[in-house]
Amino acid sequence: MTVNNKANNLGLEKYGIKNLGSIYHNLPTPALYEQIVRRREGLMAHLGPIVVRTGHHTGRSPDDKFIVREESSHDKIWWSKANKPFDVARFDSLYHRLLAYLQGKDIYVQDCYAGADPQYRIPVRIITEYAWHNLFARNMFIHILNEDELGKYIPDFTIFSLPRFHATPDIDGTSSEVFIIVNFGKRLIIIGGTSYAGEIKKAVFTVLNYLLPQEKVLSMHCAANVGPEDDVALFFGLSGTGKTALSTDVNRRLIGDDEHGWSVDGVFNFEGGCYAKVIRISAEQEPQIYECTRKFGTILENVAIDSHTRRLDLDDASLTENTRASYPISHIEHSIREGTGPHPKNIFMLGYDAFGILPPIALLTPEQAAYYFLQGYTARVAGTEVGLSKEPQAVFSPCFGAPFMALPPTSYGELLLESINNHKVNCWLVNTGLVGGGFGVGKRISLPHTRELIRTAISGELSTSPMEKDPIFGFRIPSACGNVPKEILKPAKSWKDGSAYTREAKKLVAKFIENFKQFGGEVPRAVMESGPRVDE
């Protein structure tokens, strides 16, 4: 444990920081626990996890994220709703007020890496005013255990996370008092006005999504696991689509649950921990994640707790549907501690289809895989972002992670198609949403059924079984798969009213066609023509 009252010993003076209180540098987990409890930031629950509250913000605030429009990066950025420009002068002004706010305050500093592959990792320093945010950083990123290595540590990017420091929109040009601002020129990220710790990990993900593709490394919003035959599988998808649940398989080893890179050498995890949704999980359905909610070192965000018995209620959504657990990947039995694996053999693109149109699983050509990757069709699930309604909203999120993609989506699409072709990867579209009908009629497919589909696909059995080409979407749908009911495999036959299915399918296809227009002539013709079609 290091408590250092001299900022210059850590090089903090280069940030303009002055007159700090205590500086807690690279505290280990037990010491951070002591700080959290002493400062009343959280409660220690039965069996050891720490329970915290994130206040008003129980999910990300996408409208409050900005990228500074500065000379070194402005020609490369995908300027969009996800990447709104921020003025250099206003950033400097807000940053100077942030420095004034820090005077006299204690801070926590965690030095770590983002990226398990030493060739591509970046040193990241996280400076927080909450001890539990520092523990979150320690859980989510990669520890540096070698003291000599720590002694030579120089951060490439630095993050300030200060929930109690708020912006003034009229002065600062922000959308609200909350802000997440990335400055690639100064290698700085400043976060304020929100206690939701997920902003820290996604800010680092945005940085990696900017840097790595420029080195011909595909950065991916996906989970990854590996079987006994070194058969790596990737799981793309937004929050709530099942990345963590499906990749955490007792018969396979977890590489990571959310963010990875794919280089010429294989895949590698960006993180050293997991950040799983835990609302209503059970020991029967998701045993490994469930066990992590009962371990020392785990942070539980907005999970209900009895303040007397310190027992948890994972079914209680009174604060939010987006209850979260942050834990080191070592909490998952048989995980890959090194965070690396060979080239994948299977890719699964997960989406929550709120309309019940897509099949539970379909085999894609490489061009179709690139098409659906760029579309990123899914539904935002209530609670993962501020301002969403309780009903799922079908959306398109390029690359299954538009809010975090700093470069144009086609940059990632090109790398994906090239990698799929180079390594002969089987690609699958998986609907983890509704089957048997649309919203209000259909039911969400059971997790055991989806797991059976995934298992059969990974084994190679599914790709060689009888399949039928879908007349609208063009992908191939299996006729049977193990214990999965045959009647749900083909949506056109599972709906009671076939004409209603066709009518709703045409509506969805029209949305696909309209959304893909944004990519214009930037994608190969074969990719553009691989999408669904409906004869008028």
Side-chain angles (χ1 to χ4, degrees), residues 74-92:
H74 71 84
D75 289 339
K76 302 173 185 175
I77 299 297
W78 175 41
W79 299 111
S80 61
K81 183 180 179 181
N83 299 316
K84 297 182 291 295
F86 202 79
D87 181 71
V88 171
R90 278 184 156 165
F91 176 87
D92 291 342

Side-chain angles (χ1 to χ4, degrees), residues 10 74 167 172 215 257 262 275 277 318 365 379 384 514 522:
L10 297 179
H74 71 84
D172 299 312
E215 298 185 52
D257 81 324
W262 188 356
Y275 192 44
K277 284 190 71 173
S318 56
T365 67
T384 57
E514 182 62 30
E522 298 177 18

Side-chain angles (χ1 to χ4, degrees), residues 81 112 187 193 264 378 384:
K81 183 180 179 181
C112 46
R187 307 295 227 197
V264 293
T378 185
T384 57

Side-chain angles (χ1 to χ4, degrees), residues 6 65 76 93 104 115 176 319 331 339 422 476 510 516 519:
K6 294 183 179 180
K65 179 187 173 185
K76 302 173 185 175
S93 175
S176 72
L319 291 175
H331 277 14
N422 286 346
R476 292 192 292 155
F516 207 76
F519 305 116

